[in-house]
Amino acid sequence: MKKFIKYLTLLVVFLIPIWILIDDLVVKSIIIKSAEKLTKKETYISKVKVTYFPVLKLSLFDIKLPNPAANNFLVNSEEITISIDLSGLLNKSLIIDEISSNKTVIG
């Protein structure tokens, strides 16, 4: 039992920092793949930043979301930040506390 706890502790100590280093890339990939599947066009996001403390925030930088019905962009933004309620995620629901944007054009 002591070996199990020791290995579990080592695993957690190494996996958490690794996840924090690669989470931005994973989230960016998921967002881009989902948007491209819905629009059937190429979506652009230059950078994603995930913040866990004090609240869960997703910051998306240089976003260009294509319009599926035309050859223009539906959303073109320098930055969009989304604050998410963690307690809602524990109850299997997504509660967005705030969405803010910087230099955004919709249309």
Side-chain angles (χ1 to χ4, degrees), residues 32-50:
I32 288 174
K33 285 180 184 176
S34 298
E36 288 178 348
K37 185 176 180 181
L38 289 172
T39 63
K40 296 182 179 35
K41 294 185 178 180
E42 192 169 0
T43 301
Y44 304 95
I45 299 175
S46 70
K47 183 174 117 176
V48 173
K49 181 179 176 190
V50 180

Side-chain angles (χ1 to χ4, degrees), residues 17-73:
I18 290 171
W19 173 252
I20 291 172
L21 291 174
I22 66 167
D23 64 347
D24 299 341
L25 298 172
V26 172
V27 171
K28 178 181 173 182
S29 175
I30 291 170
I31 292 171
I32 288 174
K33 285 180 184 176
S34 298
E36 288 178 348
K37 185 176 180 181
L38 289 172
T39 63
K40 296 182 179 35
K41 294 185 178 180
E42 192 169 0
T43 301
Y44 304 95
I45 299 175
S46 70
K47 183 174 117 176
V48 173
K49 181 179 176 190
V50 180
T51 307
Y52 294 99
F53 186 78
V55 295
L56 179 60
K57 278 188 186 178
L58 293 177
S59 298
L60 311 171
F61 298 93
D62 299 322
I63 306 142
K64 292 183 180 181
L65 182 65
N67 185 347
N71 281 333
N72 62 356
F73 291 106

Side-chain angles (χ1 to χ4, degrees), residues 19 23-24 27 49-59 81-90 93-99:
W19 173 252
D23 64 347
D24 299 341
V27 171
K49 181 179 176 190
V50 180
T51 307
Y52 294 99
F53 186 78
V55 295
L56 179 60
K57 278 188 186 178
L58 293 177
S59 298
T81 302
I82 304 165
S83 298
I84 300 170
D85 181 14
L86 283 173
S87 63
L89 290 177
L90 296 174
S93 61
L94 177 63
I95 300 171
I96 297 175
D97 289 329
E98 178 183 3
I99 298 176

